Amino acid sequence: MEAVVAIVVIGVALAGVLLAVRESVRGSADPVVQRQMLAVAQQFMEEVQLKPWAAAANAAPAGCARDTYNDLLDYNGYSSSGICAVDGSAIPLLSGYAVNISVAAGTLGGVAAARKITVTVTRGTQSLTLTGWRTDYAS
């Protein structure tokens, strides 16, 4: 009799633990997607911010390539479904992501000429927006 009661108690406890584990595993992919979107957005933000303030005219890129971009404003309006390397080669593991970039003129603190850079990365219904500023510190 005691063995049957022990088996029932252990079974109920195990069922509760398994329900908790199932709930935690179900949502475990979401943080991975958020971290991947953040990594993609940071990479694009760094790429844009490292470009010169203004440069000579350049040739239009093919597809999602960015290898001919030579200044900040070249990135304004950039949009790509699927993430590509600078040379335009697709990165297959990131094919479910999309990126949009805008570069707008403005002032930072009302004093310095600045550009507001907005990078938006989406995957399915999830979206992450990263905003940064770049000033004309060289002039």
Side-chain angles (χ1 to χ4, degrees):
M1 183 68 146
E2 293 171 357
V4 172
V5 172
I7 290 172
V8 169
V9 169
I10 291 172
V12 169
L14 186 60
V17 169
L18 289 176
L19 282 173
V21 168
R22 185 183 76 176
E23 288 300 315
S24 67
V25 170
R26 183 184 336 185
S28 67
D30 294 339
V32 172
V33 170
Q34 286 289 325
R35 289 182 65 162
Q36 186 66 55
M37 288 192 310
L38 180 60
V40 169
Q42 287 174 331
Q43 183 274 324
F44 275 98
M45 181 65 71
E46 182 177 7
E47 180 180 325
V48 175
Q49 287 179 329
L50 289 174
K51 290 294 181 181
W53 183 259
N58 59 353
C64 65
R66 304 176 306 280
D67 53 354
T68 60
Y69 288 0
N70 61 359
D71 62 41
L72 286 172
L73 291 178
D74 290 343
Y75 288 88
N76 189 33
Y78 178 81
S79 182
S80 176
S81 179
I83 306 300
C84 298
V86 173
D87 65 358
S89 58
I91 302 173
L93 294 175
L94 298 177
S95 62
Y97 295 82
V99 65
N100 295 303
I101 302 174
S102 71
V103 180
T107 59
L108 190 60
V111 179
R115 303 259 189 240
K116 180 180 179 183
I117 305 162
T118 305
V119 178
T120 303
V121 179
T122 56
R123 182 175 189 265
T125 60
Q126 296 181 338
S127 177
L128 183 134
T129 300
L130 192 61
T131 302
W133 289 87
R134 170 76 175 2
T135 60
D136 185 13
Y137 54 80
S139 339

